[in-house]
Amino acid sequence: MTGFLTLLYKELLRFWKVGFQTVFAPMVSTLLYLLIFSHVLEEHVQAYPGVAYTVFLVPGLVMMAMLQNAFANSSSSLIQSKITGNLIFILLSPLSYREIFFAYVTASVVRGLAVGLGVYLVTLVFFDVPLSSFLWVLMFALMGSALLGAIGVIAGIWAEKFDQLAAFQNFVILPLTFLSGVFYTIPSLPPFWQGLSHLNPFFYMIDGFRYGFFHASDISPYFSLGIVAACFVAVSWLTLQMLKRGYKIRH
Amino acid sequence: MTPALEVEQMHKRYGALRVLAGIDLKIEPGEFFALLGPNGAGKTTLINIMAGLTRATSGRARVMGYDVVSHYREARRMLGVVPQELVFDPFFTVRETLVIQSGYYGLKNNGAWIEEIIHHLDLSDKADTNMRALSGGMKRRVLVAQALVHKPPVIVLDEPTAGVDVELRQGLWRFIKQLNREGHTIVLTTHYLEEAEALCSRVAMMKQGNVVALDSVRNLISSVSGCSVRLRLSPDTLPPALQSLMSSREEGCYILTLAEYSQIEQVMAALRKAALQVLEMQVLQPDLEEVFIRIMGTHKIRQPGTLPI
Ligand SMILES: Nc1ncnc2c1ncn2[C@@H]1O[C@H](COP(=O)(O)OP(=O)(O)O)[C@@H](O)[C@H]1O
Ligand SMILES: [Mg+2]
C-alpha cells in the first residue's frame, strides 16, 4: 500500500507544483468558453425549457474540463517520464503494474476534480446553476475522469514523441468532447448526427453529468452510467494488459 | 549458498540483432565483481534484464534466489541499480527524490538512512536543491543514493564514473568499498580498467553478447605470461640482437616485450656486449588492461550451439 500511495503522492505533487499550468490555466480557458459561447448563443438556443443557455452550458463545460485534464495528467506525466528516462525509477521498484495503473488514474481523477470544482465554484458567483442530485454529479465526475485518466495512460505509453501525443489529443480526444453535446442537446441535431452521437461514450458522460444538475437528460442516467462504467472496465483491462507486458516501456 | 546474482542461458535479440548470446554467470554474495567489455558488448542489456527493465528473449535471471520475472517484487527489493544514463525527475529536490524512491519500496520512516546516504555522498548542501539545478556529477551521486535507498544486498553500478571528476570517483569508491565490507555484493561496469583492477576480486569480460573470460583479477593477469622492460640507454641505440623484441619507443625509452622473465638475462647480456650504459630500467608487470586488450583482440566468438567457455 505504501508503494501505491507514494506513487500517487508523487503524481499529485507533480501537477500541484505546476498548479498554475495544470489547474489555474484550464479553469481560465473553460471560463472563457463560457463567456464567449453564452454571449454568442444566449438568444438563439434553448436547450431545456426554463433553463438559460449559459446555465445549461455550465455542467457540460465543467465535465469537458475534467475529462481533458484527467487525460492530460496521466498522458503527459507518462510521456515526460519516458522521454526524460526517469520512468525507470518506477520500473526498477517492486510496484506492481496494477499499483502503477491505479496511482496514475487516481491522480488524473484528482486533477480532473480539482479543475472541475474550480470552474463550478467560479461560475456559481455569476450564475444560478441548480444542483439536483449531488450523487449523480459525483458518480459521473469520478467515472468520467477515471476513464479519461486510463485513456491517458494508454496514450502516454503508446506515444513516443510529444507530437504523437498531441495528435492523439487533437484527433481523438478533442473531437469526441466537442461532438458530445457540450454545447447543444442531441435531439436538436439532424437524425444522422444524433445516431452518430450515440456511439460517442463522451456523450453519455456529459448527458448523465447534466442530469445531476437539471434532473433532465436525453438518455436515462442509469443507462449512461452503465455505458461509461463498461467503457472504463474495457479501457482499464486494455491498459492493464499493456502495463503487464511492459508494452513500449520494458523493452 | 544462494548466489547473489545468477544468470542462465540468457539470450536477447532485438529483431535480427543478437545482443546476448547465451550468458551464464554466477556471482556470490559479498563479491566485488566487474563486468567489462567494449561498447555494445551487452553489459547494460544484461543489467537491465536483471533489473526487470528489459525482457529476455530466453533464459533466466535470479537475484538472491528470486526469479526476476516470476518473483519480481522480491528480486527488485534485493537489487539496487545505478543506471548508465544520467536520468532525473526535474519536478523534485534531492531529498524529495530519495523519500519518494524509498516509498516505492514500501519503506516508511526511512529518514535516518536517507540522511546517512546524503551525508556519505556529500549531498548535504544540495539536499533541498531542485534536481534540475545540479551538475552532472551531483546528479550521478543522487542516482547512486536512489539505488541505495532500500539497502539492497546487491548493488549494480553501470558506468558510475563515466565523466565524473577524480574527487567524486574516489569518494564514491570509498563508500562503495565500505558497503562491500558490510556484506553488500557489488557489480560494476567501467571503462577504467585500473579501477576494476584495484577494486574487484573477479571480472567477466564480454564481447558481442558472450562472456569471453571469467576469472579472478589475479588469475587473469598471471595468465598473461612474460613482462615488458623499459630501458633508457646511453648512447641511445638498441643493439641489433634486441631489435626483434622492441615493441615501441616512448619518451626516449625502448619498450621490449618478453615472453618470459628469464629473457631478462639475454637482454642484459646483449647490453653488456654492446658496452651500453643503462640509465634507467623498469620491469613492467602485465595489468588488467593488457589482459583486456589481448582477450578482446584475439578471442574468436564461438558460434551458437558450441559449448560455453
Ligand atoms: N532498445 C534497443 N533496441 C535495439 N537495440 C538495442 C536496444 N538496446 C540496446 N540495443 C543494442 O544492443 C547492443 C548492446 O548494447 P548495450 O547492452 O547497451 O551494450 P554495453 O552496455 O555493453 O555498451 C548494442 O548494439 C545496442 O545498440
Ligand atoms: Mg552500457
Side-chain angles (χ1 to χ4, degrees):
Chain A
M1 198 61 185
T2 309
F4 162 77
L5 289 176
T6 306
L7 182 53
L8 174 59
Y9 166 76
K10 178 228 146 194
E11 281 300 298
L12 294 177
L13 196 58
R14 187 198 75 91
F15 86 73
W16 194 247
K17 281 196 172 196
V18 286
F20 188 81
Q21 287 168 49
T22 56
V23 180
F24 185 70
M27 277 173 59
V28 171
S29 58
T30 308
L31 291 166
L32 281 175
Y33 272 126
L34 186 66
L35 197 71
I36 294 163
F37 279 89
S38 64
H39 181 73
V40 175
L41 296 174
E42 180 74 72
E43 266 90 76
H44 308 285
V45 184
Q46 173 72 267
Y48 293 141
V51 178
Y53 179 66
T54 314
V55 173
F56 165 81
L57 210 49
V58 169
L61 284 175
V62 167
M63 190 58 159
M64 188 173 92
M66 283 195 295
L67 301 181
Q68 285 180 347
N69 281 280
F71 174 82
N73 202 65
S74 50
S75 61
S76 60
S77 175
L78 270 166
I79 195 157
Q80 278 173 18
S81 292
K82 259 181 16 173
I83 287 177
T84 57
N86 63 47
L87 191 64
I88 66 161
F89 299 143
I90 294 167
L91 299 178
L92 284 172
S93 79
L95 285 168
S96 72
Y97 65 96
R98 288 192 194 91
E99 288 173 306
I100 294 174
F101 172 77
F102 284 111
Y104 276 95
V105 170
T106 309
S108 284
V109 169
V110 173
R111 166 140 160 221
L113 293 185
V115 175
L117 188 67
V119 173
Y120 177 63
L121 292 178
V122 175
T123 56
L124 282 187
V125 176
F126 302 103
F127 309 105
D128 194 13
V129 185
L131 181 64
S132 128
S133 159
F134 177 70
L135 195 63
W136 278 117
V137 167
L138 185 69
M139 293 281 266
F140 277 96
L142 288 176
M143 288 306 295
S145 307
L147 174 56
L148 268 287
I151 296 175
V153 174
I154 294 182
I157 290 174
W158 166 79
E160 280 157 24
K161 290 182 252 156
F162 286 107
D163 352 347
Q164 287 176 330
L165 185 60
F168 194 99
Q169 177 129 34
N170 292 331
F171 295 110
V172 181
I173 303 298
L174 215 57
L176 287 176
T177 26
F178 276 107
L179 300 176
S180 64
V182 173
F183 301 104
Y184 47 80
T185 60
I186 300 301
S188 66
L189 293 177
F192 172 75
W193 289 101
Q194 279 192 34
L196 207 62
S197 297
H198 285 207
L199 296 177
N200 179 358
F202 288 39
F203 156 69
Y204 299 94
M205 295 185 232
I206 304 274
D207 197 58
F209 189 62
R210 209 177 262 145
Y211 178 85
F213 290 88
F214 305 127
H215 203 72
S217 58
D218 298 344
I219 300 265
S220 150
Y222 290 98
F223 184 76
S224 294
L225 193 66
I227 297 271
V228 179
C231 288
F232 178 67
V233 170
V235 168
S236 298
W237 179 83
L238 179 65
T239 319
L240 285 165
Q241 290 304 309
M242 286 167 78
L243 285 169
K244 187 177 178 184
R245 300 226 173 117
Y247 175 74
K248 290 210 182 181
I249 53 177
R250 297 188 202 265
H251 299 282
Chain B
M1 196 153 47
T2 315
L5 282 176
E6 197 176 7
V7 172
E8 282 170 15
Q9 274 307 300
M10 185 60 68
H11 289 264
K12 177 66 182 177
R13 281 172 177 281
Y14 286 110
L17 181 68
R18 192 177 64 174
V19 177
L20 296 178
I23 302 277
D24 288 287
L25 200 57
K26 209 183 268 188
I27 299 172
E28 298 302 328
E31 277 201 85
F32 208 130
F33 190 93
L35 212 49
L36 305 176
N39 281 327
K43 306 179 295 293
T44 299
T45 303
L46 185 62
I47 291 170
N48 286 349
I49 288 173
M50 297 192 283
L53 294 177
T54 298
R55 316 220 142 188
T57 305
S58 66
R60 297 163 139 278
R62 280 184 284 268
V63 183
M64 301 301 282
Y66 295 109
D67 189 280
V68 301
V69 177
S70 60
H71 289 78
Y72 70 95
R73 288 186 157 232
E74 293 87 346
R76 288 185 202 161
R77 271 184 224 288
M78 298 293 152
L79 187 66
V81 175
V82 181
Q84 182 179 343
E85 301 293 334
L86 208 55
V87 292
F88 62 97
D89 194 328
F91 283 96
F92 304 113
T93 67
V94 172
R95 191 176 274 117
E96 281 170 347
T97 299
L98 297 178
V99 170
I100 288 171
Q101 195 66 28
S102 163
Y104 290 162
Y105 288 86
L107 303 172
K108 285 185 249 183
N109 310 320
N110 198 18
W113 173 239
I114 290 176
E115 291 311 315
E116 197 177 328
I117 316 175
I118 287 179
H119 169 75
H120 274 290
L121 288 165
D122 247 331
L123 286 163
S124 306
D125 293 346
K126 304 280 181 191
D128 295 309
T129 305
N130 187 285
M131 288 300 302
R132 238 178 325 206
L134 298 186
S135 66
M138 283 289 174
K139 287 190 183 113
R140 182 71 69 186
R141 291 186 210 196
V142 177
L143 281 179
V144 176
Q146 276 179 274
L148 298 177
V149 90
H150 56 295
K151 287 195 189 172
V154 184
I155 301 163
V156 179
L157 304 106
D158 198 354
E159 296 192 33
T161 49
V164 155
D165 62 67
V166 179
E167 198 186 335
L168 168 56
R169 218 185 281 178
Q170 286 175 344
L172 175 64
W173 289 134
R174 210 176 307 124
F175 186 34
I176 298 294
K177 274 199 281 200
Q178 183 194 325
L179 290 169
N180 181 243
R181 275 195 302 275
E182 289 167 6
H184 295 263
T185 309
I186 313 288
V187 178
L188 61 93
T189 78
T190 177
H191 285 294
Y192 303 104
L193 292 158
E194 65 277 24
E195 219 166 59
E197 185 174 337
L199 293 164
C200 296
S201 45
R202 225 153 57 96
V203 304
M205 294 192 186
M206 286 180 65
K207 184 179 178 183
Q208 292 174 25
N210 292 277
V211 172
V212 291
L214 174 63
D215 210 334
S216 67
V217 172
R218 188 175 311 169
N219 286 348
L220 282 171
I221 290 175
S222 62
S223 73
V224 176
S225 53
C227 59
S228 302
V229 178
R230 184 185 162 96
L231 289 169
R232 190 191 296 277
L233 302 171
S234 171
D236 192 14
T237 50
L238 197 64
L242 298 181
Q243 291 288 351
S244 63
L245 295 176
M246 192 181 93
S247 60
S248 64
R249 275 211 72 160
E250 263 175 32
E251 300 151 24
C253 294
Y254 295 95
I255 312 283
L256 310 183
T257 302
L258 310 183
E260 287 169 41
Y261 280 93
S262 59
Q263 278 183 298
I264 290 177
E265 276 178 55
Q266 285 165 251
V267 174
M268 297 312 290
L271 294 176
R272 219 173 8 249
K273 201 167 151 203
L276 290 168
Q277 194 190 345
V278 177
L279 297 178
E280 191 185 321
M281 176 169 170
Q282 264 179 304
V283 177
L284 306 172
Q285 310 285 342
D287 60 5
L288 195 59
E289 183 146 359
E290 188 153 347
V291 180
F292 183 81
I293 290 165
R294 288 199 196 189
I295 288 178
M296 289 304 148
T298 61
H299 200 89
K300 294 229 171 26
I301 296 299
R302 66 200 149 89
Q303 293 306 306
T306 58
L307 283 173
I309 291 161

